[in-house]
């Protein structure tokens, strides 16, 4: 279900495997209960969430005080988050910004609309991959449900293996929480975890793309104008 990548007295960083729910689904065991069995913690606290199909970095609090402080960092958008995705088509634009309000659509899906009252904001770079696919590096500035999945669909490149937003079949949904960067109690933390589970990640074109993005915070991301 997970690999433990880092731990201190206040928090854990794990690599969540794909197709594992952060909540207890029907018939599933709880990720936090299984994690606590390994770490010996009496209680663990979910700081943020990843979709079931999404693998990658997940921050877990080890006490209520730390969980509260870390949750505030996310709420105040003081945590830099970076995701990798493989899209099933060439996008309308190779890089840029996707911004717009999101509203519920059919079934469990969401859609992007033209208004910007409380918008989802996602920056991205992309590079060519094999079989007409596209490798994306995404930097979400908000934390909306399905935000990156909807953003990439809106530029014409649904995520490979995403049963809701793409018709492309694959051995998993190709979205991965790749990097986290934040300051906690005056100490800077940086975590990067390359995706390992899934055949498509192993392709040479994908590996070449990943080699360009090993420290995503050093890339020249265009400035986003704040509302006055």
């Amino acid at each position: 279900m997970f690999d433990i990548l880092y731990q201190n007295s206040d928090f854990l960083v794990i690599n969540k495997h794909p197709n594992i729910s952060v909540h207890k689904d029907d018939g599933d065991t709880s990720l936090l209960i299984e994690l606590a069995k390994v770490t010996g913690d009496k209680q663990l606290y979910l700081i943020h969430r990843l979709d079931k199909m999404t693998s990658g970095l997940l921050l877990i609090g080890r006490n209520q005080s730390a969980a509260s402080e870390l949750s505030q960092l996310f709420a105040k958008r003081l945590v830099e988050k970076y995701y990798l995705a493989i899209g099933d088509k060439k996008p309308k634009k190779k890089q840029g910004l996707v911004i717009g309000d999101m509203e519920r659509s059919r079934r469990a899906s969401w859609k992007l609309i033209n208004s910007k009252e409380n918008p989802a904001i996602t920056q991205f770079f992309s590079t060519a991959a094999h079989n007409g696919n596209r490798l994306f590096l995404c930097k979400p500035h908000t934390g909306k449900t399905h935000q990156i999945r909807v953003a990439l669909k809106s530029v014409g490149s649904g995520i490979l293996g995403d049963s809701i937003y793409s018709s492309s079949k694959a051995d998993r949904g190709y979205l991965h929480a790749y990097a986290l960067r934040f300051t906690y109690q005056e100490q800077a933390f940086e975590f990067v975890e390359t995706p390992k589970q899934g055949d498509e990640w192993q392709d040479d074109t994908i590996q070449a793309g990943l080699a360009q993005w090993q420290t995503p915070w050093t890339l020249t991301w265009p400035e986003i104008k704040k509302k006055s």
Side-chain angles (χ1 to χ4, degrees):
M1 296 174 72
F2 56 84
D3 310 301
I4 299 173
L5 304 176
Y6 174 86
Q7 54 186 311
N8 63 24
S9 58
D10 281 352
F11 65 85
L12 304 157
V13 179
I14 68 169
N15 172 36
K16 183 185 85 68
H17 295 180
N19 301 317
I20 300 295
S21 177
V22 297
H23 301 292
K24 187 173 181 180
D25 289 350
D26 292 339
D28 287 348
T29 185
S30 165
L31 174 65
L32 293 190
I33 289 173
E34 293 303 310
L35 182 56
K37 288 178 184 177
V38 176
T39 63
D41 290 278
K42 290 183 179 178
Q43 186 168 2
L44 293 170
Y45 302 83
L46 201 59
I47 308 297
H48 60 124
R49 289 164 175 74
L50 296 177
D51 292 342
K52 186 172 182 175
M53 80 169 201
T54 307
S55 59
L57 295 174
L58 192 62
L59 194 60
I60 310 289
R62 300 186 85 169
N63 59 69
Q64 200 161 16
S65 174
S68 176
E69 191 171 336
L70 289 164
S71 295
Q72 281 299 306
L73 292 180
F74 277 89
K76 294 175 180 176
R77 300 180 186 173
L78 296 175
V79 179
E80 292 180 44
K81 301 171 288 183
Y82 301 89
Y83 288 75
L84 296 170
I86 301 177
D88 59 8
K89 292 183 181 67
K90 185 177 179 180
K92 297 170 188 172
K93 51 185 179 180
K94 293 180 180 178
Q95 64 183 60
L97 177 70
V98 178
I99 181 168
D101 291 326
M102 289 173 59
E103 68 176 21
R104 284 203 172 275
S105 185
R106 296 173 295 131
R107 296 188 298 145
S109 68
W110 293 75
K111 65 180 179 181
L112 203 68
I113 57 177
N114 290 328
S115 62
K116 298 181 177 66
E117 296 298 316
N118 182 23
I121 302 169
T122 309
Q123 291 176 295
F124 71 92
F125 293 116
S126 74
T127 186
H130 68 301
N131 295 335
N133 294 334
R134 197 87 184 171
L135 176 65
F136 289 88
L137 174 65
C138 300
K139 182 182 181 181
H141 292 264
T142 48
K144 311 287 187 185
T145 302
H146 294 185
Q147 177 172 326
I148 295 172
R149 298 163 71 180
V150 171
L152 295 189
K153 180 177 172 61
S154 78
V155 297
S157 189
I159 294 172
L160 202 63
D162 185 342
S163 61
I164 296 178
Y165 299 101
S166 169
S167 58
S168 301
K169 306 295 183 189
D171 58 338
R172 59 159 293 185
Y174 278 85
L175 180 59
H176 177 80
Y178 177 49
L180 289 172
R181 189 171 186 242
F182 58 92
T183 298
Y184 173 72
Q185 295 187 349
E186 300 184 353
Q187 183 177 350
F189 291 93
E190 295 173 353
F191 300 99
V192 178
E193 177 67 7
T194 302
K196 298 175 180 67
Q197 292 174 297
D199 295 339
E200 297 295 331
W201 295 123
Q202 314 311 321
D203 184 81
D204 289 345
T205 59
I206 298 294
Q207 291 294 315
L210 293 179
Q212 305 172 50
W213 297 336
Q214 291 180 358
T215 51
W217 45 83
T218 62
L219 299 174
T220 307
W221 296 89
E223 187 178 350
I224 296 173
K225 292 178 182 175
K226 300 281 194 295
K227 273 188 176 180
S228 56

